[in-house]
Amino acid sequence: MSTNNILRIAVIGGDGTGPEVAAEGMKVFKAVAKLEGIKYETKDFDFGGNRYLRTGEVLPDGAIEELATFDAILLGAVGHPDVAPGILEKGLLLALRFAFDQYINLRPVKLYPGVETPLAGKGPDDIDFVVVRENTEDMYSGIGGFLKQGTADEGATQTAIYTRQGCERCIRWAFEYTRKRNKRKRLTLVAKTNVLTFGHDLWWRTFQDVAKEYPDVETDYNHVDACCMWMIKNPEYYDVIVTTNMFGDIITDLAGILQGGMGVAAGGNINPEPGGTSMFEPMGGSAPKYTGNNVINPIATIAAVAMLLEQAGY
Ligand code: IPM
Ligand code: MN
């Protein structure tokens, strides 16, 4: 936390219904802060599609430097119907994840009592696991390009890059998390070692190496396609999953629907290093057609605020 024990939170409401849910999350934050005697400062930032359409820039000069002075960021949502796909995602969400080296994407998958799941015969005791997704590498690296763009024989590359340092820090954090969670104490690596014989071989070997430091944690491996099947069939099997960025993106939407939908799912983009700036968000997206109706379930944002407080040491 910053000097004088003041918890500084930057609020980026973002697009569509993002500002509405962020406001609900901050109401809960303020109530908790009062009860717990937490001193805090908050500042709103108007980054998002509307600002981009007005000014032509997603993140203005100095934005990263200013955000770096905060302990945490609460992000409502990104995605605007009048802005081409990728501009806000890459220019805001991914830019912040990368700039602050938020190398953990933490996605708790918990079915709250009274919430409906599409899985027949499964309840809150069965759907309670956590996905730890690597958040800075893989196909998200932005490496690639076009060949003969716009011609009949054009081609494109989109490169997945994995580094030893990048997967090792994520895997080690996942082992620590599994130990602290202390539930089944089982960590499942989800990858595709039978096809991605370079990048996921690096993940596999790193997983085996780090596992030696955690003899109390049971290790397990699923190919990603099989994981999609078992997550539906036996969600109760999972405790903590650690996985690569792209596969993590996909399986966390699958997992999100098991917990009742994206209005319930929260995520943390965490830089666990001392002084790191982490960012917390509801996973539901900007849902632009509902803007202003106050109909979006704020529970995901409230859960994101809970994760923020936990990361801040409360
Ligand atoms: C998520 C989102 C993002 C991602 C998009 C909006 C870039 O789907 O946080 O899961 O792919 O990481
Ligand atoms: Mn996603």
Side-chain angles (χ1 to χ4, degrees), residues 129-148:
F129 59 95
V130 177
V131 180
V132 177
R133 165 186 170 194
E134 199 288 321
N135 210 28
T136 60
E137 302 192 335
D138 201 351
M139 268 182 267
Y140 283 75
S141 63
I143 297 173
F146 293 109
L147 176 71
K148 305 183 194 170

Side-chain angles (χ1 to χ4, degrees), residues 2-300:
S2 34
T3 43
N4 315 324
N5 272 346
I6 293 175
L7 179 61
R8 301 188 71 235
I9 302 178
V11 181
I12 305 175
D15 300 317
T17 55
E20 297 167 23
V21 290
E24 296 303 315
M26 289 312 288
K27 277 187 205 166
V28 174
F29 171 79
K30 285 171 188 167
V32 172
K34 196 170 168 194
L35 285 171
E36 298 292 322
I38 300 169
K39 287 192 266 172
Y40 66 89
E41 277 168 23
T42 71
K43 183 171 174 184
D44 287 314
F45 292 84
D46 69 347
F47 306 150
N50 288 332
R51 184 189 172 117
Y52 171 74
L53 291 170
R54 213 170 57 236
T55 66
E57 56 186 7
V58 183
L59 278 176
D61 280 351
I64 298 288
E65 290 75 7
E66 184 174 4
L67 288 171
T69 68
F70 288 82
D71 299 295
I73 301 167
L74 182 69
L75 176 66
V78 291
H80 192 293
D82 301 334
V83 180
I87 293 180
L88 299 169
E89 291 83 350
K90 281 176 99 166
L92 183 59
L93 181 63
L94 299 182
L96 294 178
R97 287 178 182 173
F98 296 161
F100 294 117
D101 203 20
Q102 294 162 343
Y103 59 86
I104 301 297
N105 190 298
L106 183 63
R107 301 279 286 263
V109 183
K110 194 172 167 58
L111 180 67
Y112 298 120
V115 176
E116 215 171 300
T117 174
L119 286 192
K122 301 290 180 187
D125 289 341
D126 304 306
I127 299 169
D128 182 8
F129 59 95
V130 177
V131 180
V132 177
R133 165 186 170 194
E134 199 288 321
N135 210 28
T136 60
E137 302 192 335
D138 201 351
M139 268 182 267
Y140 283 75
S141 63
I143 297 173
F146 293 109
L147 176 71
K148 305 183 194 170
Q149 189 182 4
T151 69
D153 61 343
E154 79 174 309
T157 60
Q158 193 86 46
T159 303
I161 177 155
Y162 309 96
T163 68
R164 171 77 196 204
Q165 201 244 91
C167 64
E168 186 170 334
R169 63 186 184 173
C170 176
I171 289 168
R172 181 167 282 106
W173 194 90
F175 271 103
E176 287 289 335
Y177 187 88
T178 309
R179 179 182 271 173
K180 273 194 234 122
R181 176 171 150 94
N182 200 19
K183 204 180 172 215
R184 289 191 183 76
K185 284 210 170 175
R186 178 189 295 137
L187 180 60
T188 304
L189 171 66
V190 170
K192 188 75 181 173
T193 54
N194 53 347
V195 176
L196 306 183
T197 53
F198 309 116
H200 289 200
D201 182 65
L202 177 60
W203 268 76
W204 169 256
R205 283 184 283 113
T206 306
F207 186 72
Q208 302 303 316
D209 287 349
V210 178
K212 292 180 196 130
E213 299 166 32
Y214 298 87
D216 54 319
V217 174
E218 182 194 336
T219 56
D220 176 43
Y221 173 81
N222 288 175
H223 289 320
V224 64
D225 46 351
C227 169
C228 291
M229 181 177 68
W230 288 326
M231 193 183 280
I232 303 301
K233 192 166 175 277
N234 301 314
E236 66 280 3
Y237 175 79
Y238 293 105
D239 181 14
V240 182
I241 288 173
V242 64
T243 191
T244 56
N245 203 347
M246 189 80 250
F247 289 168
D249 178 43
I250 297 164
I251 68 169
T252 53
D253 269 27
L254 183 66
I257 205 72
L258 303 186
Q259 65 181 130
M262 300 315 271
V264 182
N269 301 275
I270 298 174
N271 177 333
E273 307 300 330
T277 298
S278 298
M279 176 166 71
F280 300 85
E281 44 171 343
M283 301 319 310
S286 61
K289 69 178 174 190
Y290 298 110
T291 306
N293 297 347
N294 274 309
V295 295
I296 300 298
N297 189 345
I299 203 75

